[in-house]
Amino acid sequence: MAAHLWLGFASLPLAVIHCGWHLGGHLPTWFMFVFVLTILSGVWGLILQNIIPKLVLQLLPAETIYSEIEHVAKQSISDIRQAIIAVCGPPAGSENRLIESEQSSHAKSTVVVGAVREIGLVSGRTLRTKTVTRSETDRDVLWNAFAEIEPFLSRDGIKSGPFSKPADASRWFSKLRHACSQNGEPVIESLEQCYEQRLQFNMQRRFHHWLHAWLPVHIGLSVSVCVLLIVHIITALKYW
């Protein structure tokens, strides 16, 4: 990569010297124009590759493998669903009680809460088990809240609703805490952490796009330079 960069940078002044400090006809002009764009796209890619990974480490402690983002998000949603069942049982009016019966006595008294933690230079999502107390009175509130926030947690790109802006989401969580008893706090904490995780996953997607979108442009321009160079060589040998 270092050799590629330095040879690319060195080729531009050599090309300017080769053309005698003037562009000449249409073919040399187009060749130089595309060649400069190729160099600039490479410089842009070099800048992105040096900036974005540092931003990811600083801003996205919940970063995961890009192809596993949706799987991890679904797993977090499943954990929250199990946490609500542990605190207040399945939704009211549910005919299927198999979900509740499958929970062990330990699962009914504890929930696993995901949290972003940093240890030295290593950051990521850790799991901790919290003891919970059953609260039937919070059932409707928590399940309604879960139904409202689940579309945002499960899919990227949702811009409407109270979760599009962190400030609006903060007010939503505050209202939810006022509407629930203290026994529902583990579930609300899990919802809030899952919301923060989804925000970071959305930002990771954008960073990933910025980090890789320039490469097809650079490759396309490089191929164009090679084609124009071959045509330039043929015409130069033919008419020189």
Side-chain angles (χ1 to χ4, degrees):
M1 180 61 70
H4 175 76
L5 292 171
W6 284 111
L7 288 174
F9 290 144
S11 62
L12 182 58
L14 290 176
V16 174
I17 295 173
H18 171 73
C19 69
W21 302 95
H22 60 85
L23 297 177
H26 295 293
L27 179 60
T29 300
W30 275 106
F31 174 78
M32 185 61 68
F33 176 72
V34 176
F35 186 52
V36 171
L37 288 181
T38 304
I39 298 295
L40 292 177
S41 66
V43 172
W44 176 245
L46 177 63
I47 293 173
L48 291 179
Q49 289 183 343
N50 280 273
I51 293 178
I52 290 183
K54 297 177 182 178
L55 290 177
V56 169
L57 289 176
Q58 294 174 2
L59 302 178
L60 306 180
E63 177 199 11
T64 187
I65 301 173
Y66 180 77
S67 60
E68 294 293 318
I69 286 179
E70 295 308 320
H71 173 74
V72 175
K74 290 179 181 178
Q75 184 61 49
S76 298
I77 294 172
S78 177
D79 292 343
I80 293 175
R81 187 179 289 107
Q82 298 302 324
I84 300 177
I85 293 174
V87 172
C88 57
S94 175
E95 298 296 334
N96 186 4
R97 298 293 177 174
L98 293 178
I99 298 178
E100 187 175 18
S101 63
E102 289 175 355
Q103 307 301 312
S104 64
S105 58
H106 175 74
K108 288 185 178 181
S109 60
T110 61
V111 292
V112 177
V113 180
V116 173
R117 293 291 182 267
E118 293 188 3
I119 304 176
L121 298 178
V122 180
S123 60
R125 182 173 181 266
T126 61
L127 298 178
R128 51 196 174 95
T129 303
K130 297 186 66 175
T131 302
V132 298
T133 304
R134 298 281 292 190
S135 177
E136 299 291 337
T137 58
D138 295 331
R139 172 182 293 183
D140 293 339
V141 176
L142 290 177
W143 278 114
N144 290 336
F146 178 73
E148 185 176 359
I149 197 174
E150 184 181 13
F152 179 86
L153 300 180
S154 60
R155 294 193 302 275
D156 180 21
I158 297 179
K159 303 299 183 183
S160 60
F163 311 108
S164 57
K165 297 180 180 179
D168 295 339
S170 178
R171 288 191 289 269
W172 185 86
F173 283 112
S174 178
K175 292 180 181 178
L176 181 60
R177 282 188 167 90
H178 286 300
C180 292
S181 65
Q182 187 63 30
N183 296 335
E185 180 60 27
V187 175
I188 300 174
E189 183 180 354
S190 297
L191 282 171
E192 198 164 16
Q193 290 171 355
C194 192
Y195 171 76
E196 293 290 339
Q197 181 189 63
R198 170 49 74 178
L199 289 180
Q200 293 188 39
F201 284 169
N202 293 349
M203 186 176 294
Q204 182 182 347
R205 284 186 179 278
R206 291 193 292 271
F207 281 159
H208 185 272
H209 176 74
W210 295 341
L211 190 60
H212 295 86
W214 70 274
L215 189 57
V217 176
H218 183 67
I219 293 176
L221 290 172
S222 300
V223 172
S224 301
V225 166
C226 293
V227 173
L228 290 173
L229 180 60
I230 292 173
V231 175
H232 174 65
I233 292 173
I234 293 174
T235 55
L237 292 176
K238 183 177 181 179
Y239 297 106
W240 183 45

